[in-house]
Amino acid sequence: MPESMLRFENVTVRFDQLEALKDVSFELKEGETRIVMGAAGSGKTVLLKTAIGLDCASSGKISLFDQEIQGKAERDLFDLRQRVGVLFQEGALFDSMNVERNVGYPLLTRRDVKGSGKKAAKVDMAATHARIQEALDFVELGQTLKLMPAELSGGMRRRAAIARAVATKPPLLLYDSPTAGLDPITAYTIMALIIKERDVDNTTAMVVTYRYQDGNLVANFRYNPEDGQLVPDEKAAAKTIFMVLKEGRLIFEGVQEKLESSTDEYVKKFVKRD
Amino acid sequence: MLDYFKGPVQGLQDFTTLAGQAIGNIWRRPHYWDDILIQMDTIGVGSLTIAVFTGFFSGIVMALQMGRALGQYGQTERTGEVVSIILVRELGPVLTALMIAGRNSSGMASELGSMKVTEQIDAMRALGIDPIQKLVTPRMIATAIMLPCLTVIADFIGMVGGYVVSALVYHLRAHQYWTTTWQALEWSDVVQGLLKPFIFSFAVSLVGCYYGLNTTGGTQGVGKATTQAMVTASMWIFVLTAIITKIFVSST
Ligand SMILES: Nc1ncnc2c1ncn2[C@@H]1O[C@H](COP(=O)(O)OP(=O)(O)OP(=O)(O)O)[C@@H](O)[C@H]1O
Ligand SMILES: [Mg+2]
């Protein structure tokens, strides 16, 4: 029985008058990858932020790693959040730090598991450094340690941000629009990285995107460690669940096959094969 | 009518919460010493030039005005006395704080505002770091240390400016100017002259950070936050100086 990583039960998120999420329920199980699709403003980003308590639900129940998070004070969420890697929509690298320090940041601020609020007694600098290098090599940015975010291209920034998200090897990853605004080749590279992360570290993930090709890759390919390429894989489809949001409502949830046979006009617009 | 007040009241409430948390963090770990030092450098060292400039010219202008006015009563030699009292009690603290508000409140608002709209603040929270602890408290501490220092420097440079005018325009001797300048100051003036910048520093840093952290609406929002921070901090400086001066005037 796979563990529950994230559970939404009738969650509504309200900003003043506007309801960004309406009565959303789903459960993300260990080993699953969920592809979240929806038009601009449909609440995809809010969904991810609510999952780790950055935005607050006005009603409903959210459980992260089987622990309820609403009503908890910000400080009490820190330990849970450190088990989640997040790629923000625009990358959100810290402008004032170079790539190395950006990627190292989650490693250096990681707290004691006992949660006394103190930093881990002694941070092993050599190990930290090796891990930074490893994370950057993973996204093929091993040569850019000393560059500032402003000196990177859009695609490189996105990859550096992925390196930061995976640096602590969190069991759960949330990717917000990893391929938005990128050319098809870079977008493919980034999706390949996400699939590689899924297959190498066995992570659970939510991937927000409005490109159907992205979901298609995740659902049908796996990472081949021998040559570093993606190869077709029929087993991936079963653990890839698609979700479609429309104006804050979850209107579809299911595997690719079910998505492609959907008759809903809105859902059909997202399913384009080329 | 009630709706009209809802915005400001909510704003004041949020501001008080932020101030409470920022101050509470002083006693809470972790402390970000490097950030405090970096901020002390930007606020203190970075603003030295404008503090010196402001002090020097306000000293010159005051000596010119006062020397002339006092001359009508044949009391030109008391110029130094008047210059030092007004500088230390009022003009030094207020003008320096206004300059620092213009430079640093707006700077903090735009820096934190850009971090807010590019989700860097969210990224921090996601990494388990309290943005108030990491961003606001160091700025608050650094300003509270540096603003009184800058004010003392501005006061002193202002007296030098006053001396330059007294010597060149009113032909006062150095000894005459400086003894009256020192003797004029009482302990309560010094206390007032240091307490004011210390209190202003909270308006400067917390208002800047408040507008920064509450920025919405992309890059345009950052511009708006920057202006609002400067205007609000400046208004607070005027209100606070009136209140503090009133307290000192009635108690001495
Ligand atoms: N902090 C906030 N305050 C007020 N409204 C917000 C806030 N965050 C999001 N919203 C609103 O919630 C709705 C959903 O926003 P969200 O960012 O989740 O959209 P999205 O699906 O991620 O869109 P995109 O594809 O453009 O990123 C939007 O109408 C947005 O204006
Ligand atoms: Mg979004």
Side-chain angles (χ1 to χ4, degrees), chain A residues 49 74 81 95 105 111, chain B residues 120 122 125 128-129 134:
Chain A
K49 286 191 182 172
E74 177 102 3
R81 281 184 191 157
D95 289 330
Y105 208 72
R111 284 143 201 270
Chain B
Q120 288 177 55
D122 281 326
R125 294 172 61 202
I129 290 154
K134 169 84 181 159

Side-chain angles (χ1 to χ4, degrees), chain A residues 15 18 20 39-46 55 89 210:
Chain A
F15 298 108
L18 183 129
S42 55
K44 306 182 293 295
T45 300
V46 172
D55 282 337
Q89 194 154 359
Y210 36 69

Side-chain angles (χ1 to χ4, degrees), chain A residues 123-140:
Chain A
V123 185
D124 183 346
M125 286 316 286
T128 305
H129 205 85
R131 180 63 194 133
I132 294 174
Q133 189 67 53
E134 190 189 353
L136 280 168
D137 286 341
F138 180 84
V139 297
E140 288 151 31

Side-chain angles (χ1 to χ4, degrees), chain A residues 206-227:
Chain A
M206 303 257 291
V207 185
V208 164
T209 180
Y210 36 69
R211 285 165 28 107
Y212 182 64
Q213 306 97 292
D214 294 348
N216 189 38
L217 277 181
V218 176
N220 296 292
F221 289 82
R222 72 178 164 81
Y223 174 74
N224 182 3
E226 271 114 59
D227 59 357

Side-chain angles (χ1 to χ4, degrees), chain A residues 45 49 52-54 74-75 78 81-82 86 88-90 92-95 105-106 109 111 118 164, chain B residues 25 28-30 32 34 114-115 118-131 133-134:
Chain A
T45 300
K49 286 191 182 172
I52 53 169
L54 295 177
E74 177 102 3
R75 283 175 179 276
F78 286 168
R81 281 184 191 157
Q82 283 181 345
V86 189
F88 285 90
Q89 194 154 359
E90 304 294 337
L93 291 173
F94 301 123
D95 289 330
Y105 208 72
T109 55
R111 284 143 201 270
K118 292 177 202 157
R164 182 177 70 182
Chain B
N25 282 342
R28 200 176 288 146
R29 289 159 58 101
Y32 296 103
D34 353 345
S114 331
M115 293 183 75
T118 55
E119 295 181 317
Q120 288 177 55
I121 304 268
D122 281 326
M124 244 177 212
R125 294 172 61 202
L127 292 175
I129 290 154
D130 177 5
Q133 178 86 297
K134 169 84 181 159

Side-chain angles (χ1 to χ4, degrees), chain A residues 186-213:
Chain A
T186 316
Y188 179 87
T189 320
I190 289 195
M191 286 318 294
L193 281 176
I194 290 175
I195 293 169
K196 180 174 158 192
E197 171 66 22
R198 175 193 72 186
D199 296 342
V200 173
D201 290 326
N202 294 312
T203 44
T204 310
M206 303 257 291
V207 185
V208 164
T209 180
Y210 36 69
R211 285 165 28 107
Y212 182 64
Q213 306 97 292

Side-chain angles (χ1 to χ4, degrees), chain B residues 43-66:
Chain B
I43 297 161
V45 183
S47 309
L48 198 59
T49 327
I50 54 171
V52 167
F53 191 85
T54 317
F56 190 66
F57 283 94
S58 47
I60 284 185
V61 171
M62 271 217 305
L64 280 171
Q65 296 280 15
M66 289 303 154

